[in-house]
Amino acid sequence: MPADPLHRAAMPQRSTTSLPPSGSGASAIEVRRSARRRRTVSAYREGDRTVVLIPARMSEAEEQRWVSVMLDKLAAQESKRMLGDRELAERAARLSDLYFDGRARPKSVRWVTNQNTRWGSCTPSEGSIRLSHRLQGMPEYVVDYVLVHELAHLLVPGHGPRFWRLLEAYPRTERARGYLEGVVAADRLPHQPPMREE
């Protein structure tokens, strides 16, 4: 008896699970390939796992690129849930514990709207850290990098070799710096007026 096409089993999906890049916030990444999915890629968090849904026809290189893109997108969406000053201070305390054995303890950590040329600032004598509101909505690892950078200033005020050695503890330093450099470069690009349709 032939199978009923309306109740035929769905095409099998290939699923792979891997460890995430360090600092991504998830303990595992599961990539699910689907023959039904033609062009779209999506991702969501499922507990401590990130699930990325991709078309079955994608190459391994495309898969890796899209997993990275989707992890960044999820991180940006999660950080858009605005952190208040209290949450920012709690996050700074966790980062200090994680990367500086709790030695960097700011007295205050807050968002400010008057820093348009800096991402963050620190006044070691007061123990205060201020982050530019422009960081809100950026991926978590970028905000964390700026916090770690300013926390390091509580331990070493300048930007000498000792300071940069402290920052080596944060695994996504180079990636976050590249992201911020890209934002600055994009701001410097000439803005083209929209093309008119004729």
Side-chain angles (χ1 to χ4, degrees):
M1 180 179 205
D4 178 358
L6 294 175
H7 297 99
R8 160 176 59 206
M11 295 288 284
Q13 295 182 344
R14 188 172 63 121
S15 180
T16 57
T17 302
S18 62
L19 294 175
S22 56
S24 69
S27 65
I29 299 165
E30 182 177 341
V31 177
R32 294 181 188 164
R33 291 175 171 265
S34 170
R36 282 190 243 162
R37 188 175 283 270
R38 296 283 177 226
R39 291 183 296 197
T40 61
V41 176
S42 61
Y44 59 91
R45 302 275 194 218
E46 192 174 79
D48 65 349
R49 170 185 308 271
T50 301
V51 177
V52 182
L53 308 170
I54 64 171
R57 63 174 173 72
M58 269 193 186
S59 69
E60 293 296 319
E62 288 175 308
E63 174 182 318
Q64 288 177 2
R65 185 177 72 79
W66 275 106
V67 166
S68 179
V69 165
M70 297 312 289
L71 286 175
D72 284 349
K73 259 185 152 171
L74 281 174
Q77 288 170 355
E78 289 163 354
S79 71
K80 277 184 184 170
R81 297 178 197 126
M82 296 300 192
L83 293 175
D85 290 347
R86 191 184 88 237
E87 293 90 357
L88 200 58
E90 290 169 359
R91 195 164 175 174
R94 281 194 306 273
L95 291 168
S96 176
D97 290 342
L98 193 57
Y99 299 111
F100 304 125
D101 298 322
R103 293 178 295 134
R105 288 289 179 205
K107 291 187 176 112
S108 71
V109 182
R110 61 192 173 94
W111 295 107
V112 294
T113 57
N114 63 350
Q115 288 191 53
N116 294 315
T117 58
R118 302 170 132 195
W119 296 113
S121 62
C122 174
T123 307
S125 62
E126 296 173 4
S128 64
I129 291 175
R130 295 159 306 281
L131 264 56
S132 172
H133 71 286
R134 296 178 306 139
L135 288 165
Q136 292 174 330
M138 289 190 188
E140 281 183 17
Y141 74 90
V142 175
V143 176
D144 285 352
Y145 163 72
V146 177
L147 274 172
V148 168
H149 183 108
E150 301 309 332
L151 286 166
H153 279 309
L154 292 175
L155 304 173
V156 178
H159 285 105
R162 198 167 141 239
F163 172 82
W164 292 110
R165 276 194 303 276
L166 279 175
L167 276 190
E168 288 173 4
Y170 184 64
R172 299 187 86 181
T173 292
E174 289 307 312
R175 186 171 185 188
R177 289 185 65 171
Y179 185 99
L180 293 171
E181 287 169 7
V183 169
V184 170
D187 284 346
R188 290 183 183 147
L189 291 173
H191 296 286
Q192 298 290 328
M195 291 178 49
R196 291 193 331 244
E197 290 186 26
E198 301 198 23

